[in-house]
Amino acid sequence: HTRVFVKKEASVNFLTGPLEGRSTLRPTGVLVYGWVGGKHACVDLTGIFPRVGLTTEDFTVGQTALKAASSKVAKHERACSGNQHAFIPFAFDTFGFLAPDAV
């Protein structure tokens, strides 16, 4: 029997730098304790609603979710890893696409 301990909307309060004094990561969607190699994992949940009205030539399922996941990684991964936490962007779209890190 294994238990997974989590906290929703956990406040992590990682700072961008000692002189800035502000958090780089809002409360994380789900904080999973001891999940990745014994490190806590900050899971950022992002639901994407792709634009309606695009032509089929302009639209690829998952493109907006991939961009969102990439943006979240660029914004938060360094702060998490610098504080001994893993960062997992759980990005998905309304067509059922899951970004690779979510899988």
Side-chain angles (χ1 to χ4, degrees), residues 22-98:
R22 65 180 176 85
S23 179
T24 62
L25 186 62
R26 295 179 300 215
T28 191
V30 178
L31 181 61
V32 184
Y33 297 96
W35 185 253
V36 179
K39 292 182 180 182
H40 302 331
C42 298
V43 181
D44 185 281
L45 304 170
T46 305
I48 304 299
F49 303 96
R51 292 184 210 169
V52 177
L54 292 176
T55 66
T56 55
E57 298 165 4
D58 297 329
F59 180 75
T60 302
V61 171
Q63 182 177 6
T64 53
L66 289 172
K67 285 182 182 178
S70 177
S71 173
K72 295 287 185 166
V73 166
K75 186 174 181 182
H76 301 304
E77 187 174 48
R78 181 177 288 169
C80 288
S81 64
N83 285 278
Q84 305 303 311
H85 286 56
F87 179 75
I88 301 170
F90 192 102
F92 58 93
D93 69 21
T94 55
F95 293 103
F97 177 86
L98 291 174

